[in-house]
């Protein structure tokens, strides 16, 4: 089969011919429907030597959906052809966090590398998933469109849900960066909190127009005017929740300026900027956090929202032999929603 693989540090990924893997005991072989291209893949491609625990070569793609092709010995509960979403952060399954479904915070990190982030992922015809506990049935959803639910949507969902208690009547939530993840965050805010006022901020007018369509009450071009407008809207108090989907110095600075006392600043974007946190720099008792992905129960909730038509990811499909092009477009900011690679057409 063909697989889009990283072969070494700071080398461009390449399409290679590898053999179809065998599912071992408890494992499941999936025929891939779609594999999303994520910004964190770009980080991995550019990462300095030794900066992550990976074994080359490995297949990219940590945002996967497909159909059960074959069950390994002892794996049960699924039939061949079942459409499923793959939960991406593969933990040990035994530690306390894993047992509550938060395998994204496995206490034995490094035991299991997530597929696509250090071991073989989904940008290939087939993928071996190490356990059926990482599969979420998706029913009538098409795996080719559903793949981004497992990262783009799950990551945004977790970031919103942990702050829901702040988003009652009269509250304001600001989403900085209205790309694929930001658009999803806006839909999730709309779906989970009917009461909160949603403000989208971006540098691109077309993304702001999309943000409005996705449910933002206000869409503001980033800059001083946006800061002033948010302060005005909130009677000088600032927003209860600020989601920074970009994470570079200027967006983090803005996030700190538009948040309120007792609010949350949540850094989702991997921009790598820095926000000085001290007594003077943030409103009092404002929390700053950088979550990673989400839990297995949260992924099941995300699937429910998608099945109910309450969230929808904008996807652009690419055949496997155009995967490199998809990443170039992603790198240049030219993917409007999410690029999804279709290894099996
Ligand atoms: Zn990702
Ligand atoms: Zn664990």
């Amino acid at each position: 089969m063909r697989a889009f693989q990283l072969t070494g540090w700071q080398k461009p990924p390449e399409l290679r011919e590898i053999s179809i893997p065998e599912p071992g005991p408890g494992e499941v072989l999936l025929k891939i429907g779609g594999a999303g291209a994520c910004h964190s893949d770009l980080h991995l491609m550019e990462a300095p030597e030794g900066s992550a625990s990976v074994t080359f070569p490995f297949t990219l793609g940590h945002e996967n959906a497909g159909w059960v092709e074959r069950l390994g010995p002892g794996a049960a509960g699924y039939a061949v052809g079942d459409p499923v979403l793959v939960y991406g952060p593969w933990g040990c399954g035994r530690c306390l966090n894993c047992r509550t479904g938060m395998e994204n915070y496995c206490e034995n990190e490094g035991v299991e590398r997530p597929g696509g982030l250090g071991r073989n992922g989904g940008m290939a015809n087939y993928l071996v998933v190490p356990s059926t506990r990482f599969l979420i049935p998706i029913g009538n959803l098409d795996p080719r469109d559903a793949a981004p639910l497992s990262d783009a949507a799950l990551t945004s969902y977790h970031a919103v849900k942990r702050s829901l208690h702040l988003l009652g009547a009269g509250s304001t939530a600001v989403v900085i960066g209205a790309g694929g993840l930001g658009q999803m965050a806006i839909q999730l805010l709309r779906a989970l909190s009917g009461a909160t006022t949603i403000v989208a901020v971006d540098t691109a007018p077309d993304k702001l127009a999309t943000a409005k369509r996705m449910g933002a009450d206000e869409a503001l071009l980033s800059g001083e005017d946006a800061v002033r407008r948010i302060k005005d809207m909130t009677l000088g108090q600032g927003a209860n929740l600020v989601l920074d989907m970009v994470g570079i110095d200027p967006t983090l600075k803005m996030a700190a300026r538009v948040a309120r006392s007792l609010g949350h600043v949540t850094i989702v974007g991997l921009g790598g900027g820095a926000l000085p946190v001290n007594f003077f720099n943030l409103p009092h008792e404002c929390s700053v956090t950088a979550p990673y992905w989400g839990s297995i129960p949260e992924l099941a909730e995300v699937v429910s929202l998608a099945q109910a038509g309450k969230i929808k990811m904008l996807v652009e499909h690419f055949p496997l032999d155009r995967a490199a092009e998809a990443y170039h477009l992603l790198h240049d900011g030219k993917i409007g929603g999410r690029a999804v690679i279709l290894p099996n057409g």
Side-chain angles (χ1 to χ4, degrees):
M1 68 173 185
R2 296 188 312 157
F4 192 62
Q5 294 197 313
L6 271 186
T7 59
W9 297 107
Q10 297 181 333
K11 280 189 175 170
E14 46 186 288
L15 207 49
R16 304 174 80 220
E17 191 67 32
I18 62 171
S19 51
I20 296 176
E22 283 284 318
E27 297 179 340
V28 180
L29 183 71
L30 284 196
K31 182 178 180 183
I32 292 294
C38 178
H39 267 107
S40 55
D41 298 329
L42 295 174
H43 279 266
L44 204 51
M45 290 174 202
E46 292 159 8
E49 184 158 356
S51 59
S53 67
V54 305
T55 314
F56 296 110
F58 70 90
T59 308
L60 285 166
H62 57 269
E63 194 178 73
N64 305 306
W67 302 271
V68 172
E69 176 79 8
R70 196 143 54 88
L71 295 165
Y78 290 86
V80 172
D82 280 353
V84 291
L85 197 59
V86 181
Y87 177 76
W90 298 340
C92 71
R94 297 178 302 276
C95 73
L96 193 62
N97 285 346
C98 280
R99 281 167 191 271
T100 61
M102 292 191 290
E103 302 217 13
N104 50 325
Y105 299 141
C106 176
E107 295 162 34
N108 295 309
E109 203 186 340
V111 175
E112 304 270 7
R113 293 299 306 165
L117 291 169
R119 63 192 261 181
N120 284 341
M123 292 193 185
N125 301 94
Y126 297 94
L127 165 71
V128 165
V129 179
S131 168
T132 52
R133 75 177 190 277
F134 301 133
L135 303 181
I136 306 282
I138 56 173
N140 58 357
L141 297 178
D142 185 335
R144 284 166 281 237
D145 297 325
L149 295 175
S150 74
D151 181 11
L154 176 57
T155 298
S156 303
Y157 184 78
H158 177 69
V160 169
K161 193 181 173 187
R162 66 183 297 284
S163 299
L164 265 188
H165 60 289
L166 301 180
L167 302 180
S171 68
T172 302
V174 172
V175 179
I176 303 176
L181 250 68
Q183 293 162 17
M184 182 49 71
I186 290 163
Q187 294 177 63
L188 288 163
L189 283 163
R190 191 80 295 155
L192 298 179
S193 168
T196 201
T197 298
I198 304 169
V199 182
V201 180
D202 203 289
T203 52
D206 59 320
K207 286 187 179 150
L208 291 175
T210 308
K212 277 265 192 179
R213 277 207 313 280
M214 297 286 175
D217 298 291
E218 288 267 355
L220 307 173
L221 267 180
S222 63
E224 277 307 309
D225 282 351
V227 173
R228 216 170 298 126
R229 175 85 187 108
I230 292 166
K231 289 283 194 178
D232 285 350
M233 287 171 64
T234 57
L235 307 174
Q237 297 303 299
N240 304 71
L241 170 64
V242 184
L243 295 172
D244 186 348
M245 315 307 281
V246 185
I248 56 177
D249 285 347
T251 58
L252 290 168
K253 194 171 173 195
M254 180 186 179
R257 288 180 69 198
V258 300
R260 76 164 68 192
S261 281
L262 298 163
H264 286 177
V265 169
T266 303
I267 305 165
V268 181
L270 305 179
L275 173 66
V277 174
N278 58 37
F279 188 84
F280 305 100
N281 200 43
L282 280 149
H284 294 305
E285 219 171 313
C286 176
S287 303
V288 178
T289 193
Y292 173 68
W293 232 323
S295 71
I296 294 175
E298 285 172 337
L299 185 53
E301 291 165 14
V302 163
V303 168
S304 298
L305 284 172
Q307 286 176 327
K310 291 181 192 278
I311 54 170
K312 194 169 171 44
M313 196 81 203
L314 296 177
V315 297
E316 287 179 49
H317 291 151
F318 292 83
L320 189 57
D321 53 18
R322 285 178 59 208
E325 181 192 337
Y327 278 109
H328 284 132
L329 291 169
L330 180 66
H331 181 271
D332 296 341
K334 294 193 174 129
I335 299 289
R338 200 68 159 173
V340 174
I341 311 301
L342 310 182
N344 291 298

